[in-house]
Amino acid sequence: MRLHGGRSSELRAHYLRWEFAPIAAELFRQSPRWASVTLAVAQYWCDEAHDAVHTVIIPSEHVNPGWPTPELRAEEGDDEAAVAVADDANAARWAARQSLWGHRVGPFYGDNYDLIVAFAAYCLPGCHQEMDYSQAYRPYAIARRGPDASMEMEIVGRMVQPEWEDRFLKPSRAGDRPDLPLPTPRTERLRAGESISPEDLLASLESPARLAQGIALGWRLVDAARRQLSGEASADQELYAQVERWLRTLELSP
Amino acid sequence: MIGPLKLFGQDPAALREMARTWWARPLAGALMADRPQLQELVLAVKGIDEQRVMGRLFPRTRVGQMPPSWQARLAAASQQLFCAPVDAMDEDEGFARAFAPYCVEGAWAPVILFERKPLRNASPNRKGDRRFIVSTEWIGVAQCKDADSPPEKLRRKRLLATPLDPQVEALLDGIEALDQLDRLSAAMLSLLDKLRYSHSDRYLREAAGILQARLEELD
């Protein structure tokens, strides 16, 4: 399962409405003790993916839990009671996933892909796994129990790495996934009343020429793949280097 | 407020995929978990008007039948899973774009079959673990191409009717090429990765197929 959307904001809206909100609602249903549920996000550079964005969902007994939430602070301080509460919360979260999607562990393998595009702009740079959650993660949204089984949601995240917004091809392992979402075409965004960035305007002057180069290289790459599949030829390093140079002109690093 | 349920996707195929994985399949799973004897469900769709399509789940042998008890079950499952009524998708443009090509005048058209499949490695020790998974199969028969469905035509008309600044209009070819570059470079990046790092033939073939399709679109 992957997130859908053609802008980072749409991927976030998808995640909030289709994953976070149902889990928060399920946590509220399961236990009256939770007054709020916080969604926090972190970007890591030192795990298996080299680049990944992870999310964490933390229920709290407090309506305004702040960050770190009192429960997280107590847990990181090795307060045994808090650790037990955190275990309960985790169990509740897995149970919520189970009732939603039939899997205890989320069937979402997007941490190395979609979630980077969605949330990296809201993550602190340079985090690593030796850091506590309270240091590495930043809160993005808080769901609060409303009247009559309703729910209120507040976005509390602040953009701290704007250069990551809408960078669909940026994830370091983009090559792994040909079905990664692509940005909504700029032409469509223009017609829908959005403006175009000065960078894109400048790039558009050169884009027809770059496209022509890309098409020629693309056919050669398809041909190289065919020959490799049929065993007629082995790796063509010179062609790969040419393609890599072309990708670099688009600021894409293979 | 948590906002309405809404599908995201750039084309009807992506919207259908989202509707299947994020909406209909979890709903089918919840209904099956609630009634162990329920083996098969069908998502059927029906046009409301040119811009709206409704979709509902039915037991396979009762497509189109909505007795109050089933209606109540659907409503409860939808509310519990998505904090939204079961007809929440009826007003969504994305849902209409996804399924309008499958609609048949005046009747419910089945589009996806959901089957309960036993899960052999389910853990019996964990409370609440489901002992089954929900498999899906597309069974819909498209009545027209995606691009020719009424909601898609209306959307295109709306977008094209939006006036653009004449200076931007002049640059549109370059901007369109920039969009095409996004699609092409993503496919090239993927194939280059497969060629370089000796992925299996299957992945290599898949990536080459995607790139070839993009190149053919551009030709």
Side-chain angles (χ1 to χ4, degrees):
Chain A
M1 285 167 85
R2 66 173 172 85
L3 297 179
H4 290 252
R7 308 296 303 266
S8 292
S9 56
E10 287 184 348
L11 297 180
R12 284 192 294 275
H14 179 163
Y15 187 91
L16 283 186
R17 187 60 185 90
W18 291 87
E19 177 160 3
F20 177 57
I23 287 182
E26 184 66 19
L27 289 166
F28 289 144
R29 238 187 324 270
Q30 285 174 8
S31 172
R33 71 196 291 186
W34 309 129
S36 68
V37 181
T38 298
L39 166 70
V41 292
Q43 184 177 24
Y44 287 96
W45 288 90
C46 60
D47 62 8
E48 92 293 344
H50 181 61
D51 180 11
V53 166
H54 302 306
T55 57
V56 63
I57 292 173
I58 304 174
S60 172
E61 294 176 348
H62 303 261
V63 176
N64 295 308
W67 188 260
T69 67
E71 289 82 358
L72 181 61
R73 219 167 26 228
E75 187 194 350
E76 288 180 348
D78 287 336
D79 173 338
E80 276 182 30
V83 172
V85 169
D87 287 347
D88 281 357
N90 260 334
R93 186 180 167 193
W94 301 137
R97 284 181 176 279
Q98 168 73 19
S99 68
L100 280 160
W101 298 291
H103 304 265
R104 294 180 77 83
V105 179
F108 309 99
Y109 305 110
D111 294 35
N112 303 339
Y113 311 101
D114 317 22
L115 285 178
I116 303 175
V117 186
F119 288 108
Y122 288 80
C123 295
L124 293 174
C127 292
H128 56 81
Q129 287 173 324
E130 302 306 312
M131 294 164 79
D132 281 339
Y133 273 32
S134 55
Q135 292 175 296
Y137 282 80
R138 301 296 301 159
Y140 179 77
I142 302 175
R144 294 184 178 88
R145 196 189 285 277
D148 304 325
S150 67
M151 187 169 52
E152 300 290 331
M153 200 180 297
E154 183 188 2
I155 306 295
V156 294
R158 298 250 170 91
M159 198 181 277
V160 288
Q161 299 191 90
E163 67 276 19
W164 282 87
E165 189 73 347
D166 289 331
R167 292 301 296 266
F168 277 77
L169 298 174
K170 185 85 176 176
S172 55
R173 293 174 68 190
D176 287 3
R177 287 269 307 265
D179 63 338
L180 267 179
L182 285 167
T184 299
R186 294 166 187 81
T187 40
E188 196 170 305
R189 276 149 42 192
L190 274 171
R191 295 204 179 277
E194 287 184 44
S195 56
I196 189 164
S197 71
E199 293 81 16
D200 277 353
L201 257 183
L202 275 177
S204 72
L205 299 175
E206 293 181 337
S207 54
R210 290 213 198 293
L211 185 63
Q213 292 165 352
I215 290 171
L217 283 171
W219 281 117
R220 287 177 61 195
L221 210 53
V222 169
D223 192 44
R226 265 205 215 107
R227 281 185 288 123
Q228 196 163 313
L229 279 165
S230 64
E232 283 173 45
S234 54
D236 182 347
Q237 298 298 346
E238 198 185 317
L239 172 63
Y240 303 165
Q242 275 186 49
V243 174
E244 189 176 329
R245 278 198 295 278
W246 178 77
L247 287 166
R248 284 192 198 287
T249 65
L250 306 172
E251 293 180 24
L252 294 172
S253 305
Chain B
M1 287 295 290
I2 55 169
L5 279 186
K6 176 177 162 48
L7 296 183
F8 296 96
Q10 285 172 36
D11 54 52
L15 291 161
R16 278 193 288 278
E17 183 55 22
M18 181 172 171
R20 181 180 73 94
T21 55
W22 288 89
W23 180 67
R25 193 176 178 212
L27 209 48
L31 291 162
M32 286 176 180
D34 193 36
R35 292 184 83 186
Q37 70 274 29
L38 209 50
Q39 294 296 321
E40 294 176 321
L41 287 167
V42 162
L43 172 68
V45 294
K46 191 176 178 184
I48 302 171
D49 54 35
E50 281 211 318
Q51 298 179 64
R52 293 181 301 162
V53 170
M54 58 178 157
R56 301 286 186 273
L57 285 160
F58 299 97
R60 189 179 192 177
T61 52
R62 294 180 191 171
V63 172
Q65 296 174 31
M66 192 65 82
S69 59
W70 183 248
Q71 216 166 336
R73 228 179 273 274
L74 274 180
S78 175
Q79 196 62 44
Q80 182 169 345
L81 290 180
F82 305 116
C83 319
V86 72
D87 59 1
M89 305 306 294
D90 292 4
E91 301 297 321
D92 183 42
E93 184 192 52
F95 195 83
R97 288 177 65 203
F99 292 108
Y102 293 83
C103 288
V104 179
E105 182 82 42
W108 285 95
V111 283
I112 308 176
L113 171 67
F114 299 94
E115 271 183 285
R116 177 198 295 264
K117 293 270 168 71
L119 186 61
R120 288 197 196 111
N121 59 355
S123 166
N125 298 323
R126 286 192 301 213
K127 193 182 163 197
D129 258 12
R130 276 190 203 160
R131 307 292 175 83
F132 68 92
I133 55 166
V134 181
S135 72
T136 67
E137 186 187 337
W138 287 95
I139 53 172
V141 179
Q143 306 296 312
C144 65
K145 286 183 182 168
D146 285 343
D148 296 335
S149 77
E152 201 62 13
K153 279 184 180 168
L154 283 170
R155 181 172 177 275
R156 209 164 41 236
K157 202 171 154 188
R158 193 182 68 225
L159 285 175
L160 289 174
T162 308
L164 287 182
D165 186 308
Q167 286 181 322
V168 173
E169 192 83 57
L171 287 167
L172 212 56
D173 281 350
I175 294 166
E176 205 165 348
L178 209 51
D179 287 336
Q180 289 164 339
L181 267 175
D182 278 346
R183 292 169 60 76
L184 181 64
S185 56
M188 284 175 70
L189 196 60
S190 171
L191 181 54
L192 183 65
D193 181 84
K194 308 288 177 298
L195 283 164
R196 271 197 163 154
Y197 302 110
S198 46
H199 284 261
S200 72
D201 282 4
R202 190 185 127 215
Y203 291 124
L204 188 56
R205 197 170 291 116
E206 184 193 36
I210 288 172
L211 177 56
Q212 185 170 344
R214 299 250 161 100
L215 288 163
E216 280 166 1
E217 277 169 24
L218 290 169
D219 275 355

